[in-house]
């Protein structure tokens, strides 16, 4: 049972007698003594009058509100779906437990609320074999198109996740067009032949229709090509210029609008940070009305390069959609990198999502036979599934869970969180990497939820020496204090929709305050106080 959290619902503007309180804390520490652990304190941490700053001073400014954050997640490749399907057959209790823990968005639950999933259209480097949804050469009318060419377990696992997470968003995209459309004659390598541009747009429309027919009700977005600057002969890839992708995008957007998919986002690029100022900019210049935004991967460049695209097209969305860990790398070093570059960094640099690669594998397997991708020790998945149906969660999960807990809806049917401004001062300002978020409410009278996600990476002064950081948190002229251990901490509080800084502080009468207790996401009205 989670400790009761006090919520104050105000019918009027009030004087600053009503203070905010921190009740909810989730934490993962460098030594793994805490792994996405709920630490609801027995008494709340109060925001009060400022009394000097801590070694680090976190200043949350909710007068500056930025992009909405849609969620964290990964890719349900054929291999991921196979591994999960086998787990379901071997140990259904573990399967259901894992899906709930990873994907349930219920407020207050012991769950991460992962809610954004990419799904390949046809084979990828994590499939049992090469296939598209129409491998009949020259079938430009798509008489042989069959969405059932994907393994049945892909759809069944996806629908199981969809059942756990009613606010799931599914983003579909191909690693390659059908081989007969390409210069290579294969899904491996090569590029799309020019005579198939409009034909391929129709193919992608049929993919949308096919997923809908399979009961995938959570379709959110489609992309035209995964990693269009990557052509490999050992697994599905396609080289595609920005000009060609723009032509396909213009045709596909029209088809989507005319066939009941106008609400589906069309996302371009899907490749590395280092090209942020070239390919995606050229794509938007050529087809500004077709694409809703672009997506980035982590394999070359730096996260700050997302700003190059954002500055050129500030009204277009940015998605971060792929990065993979390497089996055998250091757990805590990975957490630090993921938080600073992805689960805080990518969002700070205007992304609306932050995703890893495979959702589930068994020690990096199975892969497409003969593929040279994910070489060396192999690509690590978010969840490790063992042959006996047991499982464990990798560092990717613990990093993304920290952000997810800060931005999933507070209310059923409510909005996701939005990024707000935050800065860190004090002598140890370098020790903390912080993201801040506000989540709106379904009932306009309810207080907003404010969240911060804090990485303390003060671990190497004079050699390995992990040190907690005593910090102050500044918010609307009030201050709270918290000591952050080396690790990742998510905490939140509630505050009125209208800033207390703008309340009538000279009023002599105290307006009534409605007081509610909240336990496990359920509110009970306790009474009216003056």
């Amino acid at each position: 049972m989670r400790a009761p959290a006090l919520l104050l619902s105000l019918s009027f503007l009030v004087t600053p007698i009503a203070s905010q309180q921190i009740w909810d804390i989730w934490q993962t520490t460098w030594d793994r003594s805490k792994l996405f652990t709920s630490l609801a304190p027995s008494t709340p941490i109060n925001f009060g009058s400022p009394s000097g700053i801590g070694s680090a001073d976190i200043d949350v400014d909710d007068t500056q509100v930025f992009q909405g954050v849609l969620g964290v997640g990964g890719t349900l490749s054929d291999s991921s779906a196979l591994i999960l399907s086998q787990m379901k057959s071997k140990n259904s209790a573990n399967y259901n437990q894992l899906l709930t823990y990873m994907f349930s968005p219920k407020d207050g639950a012991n769950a991460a609320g992962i809610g954004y999933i990419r799904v390949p259209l046809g084979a990828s480097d994590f499939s049992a074999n090469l296939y598209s949804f129409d491998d009949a050469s020259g079938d430009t009318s798509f008489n042989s198109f069959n969405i059932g060419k994907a393994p049945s377990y892909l759809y069944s696992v996806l629908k199981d996740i969809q059942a756990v997470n009613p606010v799931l968003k599914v983003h579909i995209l191909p690693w390659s067009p059908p081989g007969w459309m390409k210069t290579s004659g294969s899904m491996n390598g090569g590029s799309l032949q020019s005579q198939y541009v409009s034909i391929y747009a129709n193919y992608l429309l049929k993919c949308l229709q096919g997923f809908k027919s399979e009961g995938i009700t959570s379709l959110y977005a489609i992309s035209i090509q995964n990693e269009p600057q990557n052509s490999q002969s050992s697994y599905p890839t396609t080289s595609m210029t920005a000009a060609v992708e723009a032509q396909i995008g213009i045709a596909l957007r029209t088809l989507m609008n005319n066939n009941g998919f106008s609400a589906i986002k069309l996302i371009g690029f899907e490749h590395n940070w280092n090209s942020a100022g070239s390919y995606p900019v050229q794509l938007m210049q050529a087809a500004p009305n077709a694409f809703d935004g672009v997506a980035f991967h982590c394999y070359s460049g730096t996260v700050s390069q997302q700003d190059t695209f954002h500055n050129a097209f500030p009204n277009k969305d940015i998605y971060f959609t792929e990065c993979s860990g390497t089996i055998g790398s250091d757990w805590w070093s990975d957490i630090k990198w993921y938080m600073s570059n992805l689960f805080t960094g990518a969002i700070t640099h205007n992304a609306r999502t932050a995703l890893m690669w495979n959702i589930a594998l068994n020690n990096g397997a199975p892969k497409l036979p003969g593929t040279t991708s994910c070489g060396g020790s192999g690509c690590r998945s978010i969840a490790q599934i063992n042959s006996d149906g047991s499982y464990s969660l990798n560092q990717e999960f613990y990093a993304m869970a920290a952000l997810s807990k800060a931005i999933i809806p507070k209310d059923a049917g409510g909005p996701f969180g939005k990024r707000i401004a935050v800065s860190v001062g004090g002598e140890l300002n370098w020790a903390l990497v912080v993201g801040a978020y506000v989540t709106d409410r379904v009932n306009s009278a309810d207080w907003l939820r404010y969240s911060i996600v804090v990485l303390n990476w003060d671990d190497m002064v004079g050699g390995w020496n992990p040190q907690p950081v005593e910090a102050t948190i500044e918010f609307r002229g009030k201050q709270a204090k918290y000591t952050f251990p080396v690790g990742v901490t998510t905490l939140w509080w509630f505050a009125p929709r209208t800033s207390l800084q703008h309340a009538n502080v000279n009023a002599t009468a105290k307006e009534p305050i409605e007081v509610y207790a909240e336990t496990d996401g359920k509110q009970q009205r306790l009474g009216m106080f003056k």
Side-chain angles (χ1 to χ4, degrees):
M1 179 73 70
R2 188 163 60 87
L6 189 63
L7 284 179
L8 302 180
S9 180
L10 288 82
S11 301
F12 308 95
L13 294 179
V14 300
T15 64
I17 57 167
S19 63
Q20 291 78 50
Q21 298 175 317
I22 297 170
W23 277 95
D24 296 276
I25 302 171
W26 294 79
Q27 199 164 84
T28 294
T29 52
W30 71 272
D31 60 0
R32 304 187 225 190
S33 60
K34 295 182 179 66
L35 290 171
F36 191 47
T37 302
S38 176
L39 300 174
S42 57
T43 57
I45 299 168
N46 291 306
F47 281 86
S49 299
S51 58
I53 67 169
S55 298
D57 186 51
I58 301 168
D59 189 355
V60 179
D61 178 7
D62 66 331
T63 66
Q64 297 184 65
V65 182
F66 303 102
Q67 81 278 15
V69 184
L70 299 174
V72 303
T75 298
L76 187 69
S77 63
D78 289 350
S79 293
S80 288
L82 173 62
I83 288 292
L84 288 168
S85 180
Q86 291 172 338
M87 180 190 193
K88 185 178 183 179
S89 298
K90 192 79 173 181
N91 191 326
S92 60
N94 274 6
Y95 175 80
N96 293 328
Q97 182 185 65
L98 176 62
L99 260 57
T100 298
Y101 189 55
M102 291 183 72
F103 298 105
S104 173
K106 182 181 178 182
D107 178 63
N110 182 29
I114 292 170
Y116 198 102
I117 294 179
R118 289 199 314 162
V119 181
L121 295 174
S124 73
D125 43 330
F126 283 84
S127 294
N129 53 268
L130 292 178
Y131 72 92
S132 75
F133 295 120
D134 191 343
D135 289 318
S137 182
D139 184 20
T140 56
S141 298
F142 298 116
N143 295 317
S144 297
F145 184 95
N146 181 8
I147 202 70
K149 291 286 291 294
S152 60
Y153 49 75
L154 175 70
Y155 300 118
S156 62
V157 169
L158 187 55
K159 284 187 279 190
D160 285 345
I161 296 171
Q162 191 173 257
V164 170
N165 189 337
V167 292
L168 183 71
K169 294 177 176 63
V170 172
H171 180 161
I172 58 176
L173 73 165
W175 266 235
S176 172
W180 54 269
M181 294 187 186
K182 298 173 62 183
T183 57
S184 61
S186 165
M187 293 184 72
N188 296 351
S191 58
L192 183 71
Q193 296 183 66
S194 59
Q195 67 265 34
Y196 291 119
V197 166
S198 62
I199 302 298
Y200 188 45
N202 274 287
Y203 174 87
L204 294 174
L205 173 67
K206 293 187 72 68
C207 291
L208 282 167
Q209 294 168 331
F211 265 66
K212 184 178 179 180
S213 72
E214 289 288 340
I216 308 306
T217 59
S218 48
L219 282 170
Y220 173 80
I222 185 170
S223 293
I224 288 170
Q225 176 59 49
N226 181 67
E227 298 189 346
Q229 296 175 310
N230 182 25
S231 177
Q232 302 291 329
S233 61
S234 68
Y235 64 96
T237 48
T238 300
S239 177
M240 183 177 289
T241 66
V244 170
E245 185 172 342
Q247 293 174 40
I248 299 168
I250 291 168
L252 178 58
R253 180 77 269 173
T254 299
L255 289 170
M256 290 163 63
N257 292 346
N258 292 340
N259 288 276
F261 294 99
S262 59
I264 301 297
K265 304 291 186 181
L266 181 54
I267 310 303
F269 188 48
E270 287 278 355
H271 214 163
N272 290 329
W273 286 322
N274 65 328
S275 294
S278 53
Y279 191 117
V281 170
Q282 295 162 12
L283 183 64
M284 288 300 156
Q285 289 170 338
N289 297 323
F291 291 90
D292 296 280
V294 298
F296 291 101
H297 297 179
C298 75
Y299 305 113
S300 184
T302 61
V303 65
S304 63
Q305 289 174 294
Q306 290 180 179
D307 293 344
T308 304
F309 176 81
H310 176 73
N311 292 336
F313 292 94
N315 295 323
K316 294 294 184 180
D317 290 337
I318 291 174
Y319 298 77
F320 182 86
T321 55
E322 189 183 309
C323 194
S324 181
T326 301
I327 293 173
S329 59
D330 180 70
W331 190 89
W332 172 234
S333 295
D334 288 341
I335 293 277
K336 290 189 290 184
W337 195 92
Y338 291 150
M339 295 310 302
S340 59
N341 289 279
L342 305 184
F343 301 110
T344 296
I347 306 302
T348 299
H349 292 286
N350 302 293
R352 302 197 69 188
T353 61
L355 277 61
M356 300 301 297
W357 186 189
N358 284 283
I359 288 175
L361 294 171
N362 184 353
N363 293 310
K367 296 197 296 183
L368 180 72
T371 181
T372 57
S373 68
C374 285
S377 58
C379 287
R380 186 177 52 240
S381 53
I382 298 169
Q384 160 65 25
I385 312 300
N386 303 314
S387 300
D388 62 359
S390 62
Y391 69 90
S392 59
L393 289 156
N394 292 320
Q395 47 265 54
E396 289 77 12
F397 171 81
Y398 295 107
M400 69 173 59
L403 170 60
S404 186
K405 210 64 177 172
I407 57 91
I408 55 176
K410 167 62 184 166
D411 307 310
F416 283 75
K418 293 182 177 181
R419 180 172 68 92
I420 56 177
V422 63
S423 58
V424 183
E427 62 180 326
L428 292 181
N429 65 318
W430 56 268
L432 303 183
V433 177
V434 184
Y437 310 93
V438 60
T439 304
D440 209 339
R441 308 298 303 278
V442 169
N443 186 339
S444 61
D446 287 339
W447 281 24
L448 306 179
R449 185 186 69 199
Y450 288 89
S451 313
I452 57 173
V453 181
V454 180
L455 166 68
N456 173 7
W457 56 2
D458 184 3
D459 58 10
M460 285 295 289
V461 176
W464 177 249
N465 185 27
Q467 292 295 312
V469 172
E470 296 180 356
T472 42
I473 304 167
E474 314 286 347
F475 179 71
R476 295 184 181 176
K478 297 292 184 178
Q479 184 186 83
K481 297 180 180 179
Y482 187 77
T483 299
F484 292 94
V486 172
V488 184
T489 302
T490 302
L491 54 81
W492 64 75
W493 63 94
F494 295 85
R497 185 174 302 274
T498 302
S499 172
L500 292 179
Q501 292 176 320
H502 301 143
N504 182 8
V505 296
N506 296 318
T508 56
K510 296 177 182 177
E511 300 293 351
I513 303 172
E514 291 181 81
V515 180
Y516 293 80
E518 180 192 30
T519 305
D520 294 331
K522 298 179 180 178
Q523 294 185 21
Q524 178 183 4
R525 186 176 184 274
L526 300 182
M528 185 79 75
F529 295 78
K530 287 194 174 183

